[in-house]
Structures are given as structure tokens and as C-alpha cells.
Amino acid sequence: MDAPPYDTQVPTRHTASSHRTRRWTLALPANATNWVSVWRRNYLVWRKLAAASMLGNLADPMIYLFGLGFGLGLMVGHVDGVSYIAFLAAGTVGSSVMMSASFESMYSAFSRMHVQRTWEAIMHTPLTLGDIVIGEIVWAASKAVLSGAAIMLVAGLLGYARFPSMLLALPVVALAGLAFASLAMIVTALASSYDFFMFYQTLVLTPMLLLSGVFFPLAQLPSGVRHVAMALPLAHAVELIRAAMLGRPIVDVGLHVAVLIAYAIAPFFVCAWLFRRRLMR
């Protein structure tokens, strides 16, 4: 039997390599604006339940702020030259951003991806998986900005933050929201069920909350623990937010911003790769 013509033979290795390249390309954003459609879709859904959503996001940090602020404040007095509740207010903004962005990227994004299969429907449009992931990250960061800004407003009205210097904290809140949302999307890419998120909440978010200067100054920590804390994104976010809210000079601003940018960008490529393996087999 004669061999088939040369031009009908497909080089298998080359085809497999091209297929992998195409899959990886689809896991990245198609362009710089496609993600807006995903963000707008999530916004239109959220708008119907906006009041209840905002109440849920604000209740926990407000309880921390007033419960610990007034309770411990009576015993502690002043910290770093300000009342304890003023010191705590800035930390509460940072923790609220972390929790809001993380929970939206985990529970809500997982629902849209795994339960409702909204992502699967979107991927039948010209949007790529990368567009969806960026849209989800920016949406989670947007909700974190709303949460953080609301607490800042309350703190400012009660005299625990200085206006207009506290407005400088808004870009930090947005950047921190992107960082925490991007990190949480890695967990979402790995999660098999909602129960999986408890590991991240207990083993990552809670220690970060306690070690990042939210409730007490980082200087109170032992040297080794302090170095670990400075590798965490929340510590850098709190340092920047506290300085802005209290009207103080911001020290090492370049370092703090660089760390938050790194946490916002690097995890995106990790979660994009993980989502590609999970959804584009």
C-alpha cells in the first residue's frame, strides 16, 4: 500500500504544542477592555441586592471597630500618639478590604464558576477565560473599595480620621483589593467545594489579620515575627492606610506599593494557569 501524500501527514508533536499554546492564550485576556463586560454583569446582579450586601460587608468590621475600640480603648488609652479607636479604625479599613475582596473572589466567584456555570456560558462568547478572571478580580476589588470607603467615611465623621488626607488612602484600598482578590482566586481555582475555603480563612486570613498591625503596632511583635508580617500584603496596606487616615507622613511608600502590586499581578498568572487546567482540558 502506498504511503499517504506528505502534505496529509500531521506532525503530532507540533500540533500538541500548538494546542497547548492556544489553550494558554485563551487563559489570558484577549484585550485590555473585555473584562469590563464581566464586571458590568456582576454589578447588574449585585445592584438588586446592594443594600443587604453592603450591610453584610460592613457589620463585621463595624463590630470590631466599636466593640474593641471603645472596650479596649478604655484600658489601652493612646497608641502611637492617638486614641486606640483612631488607631484601630485604619486597621479595620485594611481588614475589611481583605475580607470583602477575599470572600467575593472565593464564595461568589466559585458559585458563578462551579454551581451556576456562568463562566462556561461566558466562554461561548468572544471573551476568554482570562477576561473572566480579570473581571472577577476587579469586581471583588470594587466591592472592597465600597466597604473600605464606607468605614473611612464613618471614621472621618466621628473624628477618628483626618480629612482630606484620608482620601489618599482610597488608591491604596483599591490596590489592596486587587491584591487580596487575586490571591483568593488561586484558592477558588483549587477548591472542590465551599468547605475548601475554610482552610484559607483559618490558616491564612486569620493569622494575617492578627499579625499585620490591625489591632496593635507591628513594633510590639518579636523581630522574627515582624519580618514575617512584613512579607504579608495586609501589613503594607495597613501602614499606608493608617498614615493617610491619621494625616502622618508615609514612610517607605515605594516598598509598600511595590509589594501590593506584586501580590496583585503574580497571583493572576498562577490562577489563570490553574483555571486553564481546570476548565479547559
Short mmCIF file of all heavy atoms in Angstrom, two decimals, residues 162 164-170 172 239-248 250:
data_model
loop_
_atom_site.label_atom_id
_atom_site.label_comp_id
_atom_site.label_asym_id
_atom_site.label_seq_id
_atom_site.Cartn_x
_atom_site.Cartn_y
_atom_site.Cartn_z
N ARG A 162 -8.57 62.01 59.53
CA ARG A 162 -8.42 63.41 59.11
C ARG A 162 -8.77 63.58 57.64
O ARG A 162 -8.35 62.81 56.78
CB ARG A 162 -6.98 63.88 59.36
CG ARG A 162 -6.60 63.91 60.82
CD ARG A 162 -5.26 64.56 61.03
NE ARG A 162 -4.90 64.61 62.44
CZ ARG A 162 -3.78 65.18 62.91
NH1 ARG A 162 -2.91 65.70 62.06
NH2 ARG A 162 -3.53 65.18 64.21
N PRO A 164 -8.56 66.37 54.46
CA PRO A 164 -8.72 65.49 53.29
C PRO A 164 -7.62 64.43 53.13
O PRO A 164 -7.59 63.74 52.13
CB PRO A 164 -8.68 66.47 52.13
CG PRO A 164 -7.71 67.51 52.59
CD PRO A 164 -7.90 67.64 54.08
N SER A 165 -6.68 64.34 54.09
CA SER A 165 -5.56 63.41 53.90
C SER A 165 -6.04 61.96 53.77
O SER A 165 -5.38 61.15 53.10
CB SER A 165 -4.58 63.53 55.07
OG SER A 165 -5.18 63.12 56.28
N MET A 166 -7.18 61.64 54.38
CA MET A 166 -7.64 60.24 54.30
C MET A 166 -8.04 59.84 52.88
O MET A 166 -8.12 58.65 52.56
CB MET A 166 -8.80 60.00 55.26
CG MET A 166 -10.11 60.67 54.88
SD MET A 166 -11.42 60.22 56.06
CE MET A 166 -12.84 60.99 55.29
N LEU A 167 -8.27 60.82 52.00
CA LEU A 167 -8.58 60.50 50.61
C LEU A 167 -7.40 59.82 49.92
O LEU A 167 -7.59 59.10 48.93
CB LEU A 167 -8.98 61.76 49.85
CG LEU A 167 -10.26 62.46 50.32
CD1 LEU A 167 -10.51 63.72 49.51
CD2 LEU A 167 -11.47 61.51 50.23
N LEU A 168 -6.18 60.06 50.45
CA LEU A 168 -5.01 59.41 49.86
C LEU A 168 -5.05 57.90 50.07
O LEU A 168 -4.33 57.16 49.40
CB LEU A 168 -3.73 59.99 50.49
CG LEU A 168 -3.46 61.47 50.23
CD1 LEU A 168 -2.23 61.92 51.02
CD2 LEU A 168 -3.26 61.73 48.74
N ALA A 169 -5.87 57.46 51.02
CA ALA A 169 -5.96 56.02 51.28
C ALA A 169 -6.79 55.29 50.23
O ALA A 169 -6.68 54.06 50.11
CB ALA A 169 -6.55 55.78 52.67
N LEU A 170 -7.62 56.00 49.48
CA LEU A 170 -8.50 55.34 48.51
C LEU A 170 -7.74 54.56 47.44
O LEU A 170 -8.10 53.42 47.14
CB LEU A 170 -9.45 56.36 47.88
CG LEU A 170 -10.55 56.90 48.81
CD1 LEU A 170 -11.36 57.97 48.10
CD2 LEU A 170 -11.47 55.76 49.27
N VAL A 172 -4.86 53.23 47.75
CA VAL A 172 -4.29 52.08 48.45
C VAL A 172 -5.35 51.01 48.67
O VAL A 172 -5.09 49.81 48.51
CB VAL A 172 -3.68 52.52 49.80
CG1 VAL A 172 -3.10 51.33 50.54
CG2 VAL A 172 -2.64 53.59 49.60
N GLU A 239 -0.21 49.94 56.83
CA GLU A 239 0.77 51.02 57.04
C GLU A 239 0.41 52.24 56.20
O GLU A 239 0.47 53.38 56.68
CB GLU A 239 2.17 50.52 56.69
CG GLU A 239 2.78 49.57 57.69
CD GLU A 239 3.13 50.24 59.00
OE1 GLU A 239 3.61 51.38 58.97
OE2 GLU A 239 2.91 49.63 60.07
N LEU A 240 0.07 52.04 54.95
CA LEU A 240 -0.27 53.16 54.07
C LEU A 240 -1.60 53.79 54.46
O LEU A 240 -1.73 55.03 54.49
CB LEU A 240 -0.32 52.67 52.62
CG LEU A 240 1.00 52.23 51.99
CD1 LEU A 240 0.77 51.60 50.62
CD2 LEU A 240 1.96 53.40 51.86
N ILE A 241 -2.59 52.96 54.74
CA ILE A 241 -3.92 53.49 55.08
C ILE A 241 -3.88 54.26 56.39
O ILE A 241 -4.47 55.34 56.52
CB ILE A 241 -4.94 52.33 55.16
CG1 ILE A 241 -5.16 51.72 53.77
CG2 ILE A 241 -6.27 52.81 55.73
CD1 ILE A 241 -5.94 50.43 53.79
N ARG A 242 -3.17 53.73 57.38
CA ARG A 242 -3.12 54.39 58.69
C ARG A 242 -2.44 55.75 58.59
O ARG A 242 -2.90 56.73 59.18
CB ARG A 242 -2.40 53.49 59.70
CG ARG A 242 -2.32 54.09 61.10
CD ARG A 242 -1.89 53.05 62.10
NE ARG A 242 -2.98 52.13 62.41
CZ ARG A 242 -2.84 50.80 62.49
NH1 ARG A 242 -1.66 50.25 62.26
NH2 ARG A 242 -3.89 50.05 62.79
N ALA A 243 -1.35 55.82 57.86
CA ALA A 243 -0.66 57.10 57.70
C ALA A 243 -1.55 58.13 57.04
O ALA A 243 -1.58 59.30 57.44
CB ALA A 243 0.63 56.90 56.89
N ALA A 244 -2.31 57.71 56.02
CA ALA A 244 -3.20 58.64 55.32
C ALA A 244 -4.36 59.08 56.21
O ALA A 244 -4.70 60.27 56.26
CB ALA A 244 -3.73 58.00 54.04
N MET A 245 -4.95 58.15 56.93
CA MET A 245 -6.12 58.48 57.75
C MET A 245 -5.76 59.34 58.96
O MET A 245 -6.56 60.17 59.40
CB MET A 245 -6.82 57.20 58.21
CG MET A 245 -7.54 56.47 57.09
SD MET A 245 -8.41 54.98 57.65
CE MET A 245 -9.64 55.69 58.77
N LEU A 246 -4.54 59.18 59.47
CA LEU A 246 -4.11 59.97 60.62
C LEU A 246 -3.35 61.22 60.22
O LEU A 246 -2.91 61.98 61.09
CB LEU A 246 -3.25 59.10 61.55
CG LEU A 246 -3.94 57.88 62.16
CD1 LEU A 246 -2.95 57.10 63.03
CD2 LEU A 246 -5.16 58.30 62.97
N GLY A 247 -3.18 61.44 58.92
CA GLY A 247 -2.50 62.64 58.45
C GLY A 247 -1.02 62.65 58.74
O GLY A 247 -0.44 63.71 58.99
N ARG A 248 -0.39 61.50 58.72
CA ARG A 248 1.03 61.39 59.02
C ARG A 248 1.84 61.18 57.75
O ARG A 248 1.31 60.71 56.74
CB ARG A 248 1.27 60.21 59.97
CG ARG A 248 0.66 60.40 61.35
CD ARG A 248 0.86 59.16 62.19
NE ARG A 248 0.43 59.37 63.57
CZ ARG A 248 0.43 58.43 64.50
NH1 ARG A 248 0.83 57.19 64.19
NH2 ARG A 248 0.04 58.70 65.73
N ILE A 250 4.02 59.38 55.08
CA ILE A 250 4.07 57.97 54.69
C ILE A 250 5.52 57.57 54.49
O ILE A 250 6.22 58.14 53.64
CB ILE A 250 3.25 57.74 53.41
CG1 ILE A 250 1.80 58.17 53.62
CG2 ILE A 250 3.30 56.26 53.02
CD1 ILE A 250 0.94 58.03 52.38
#
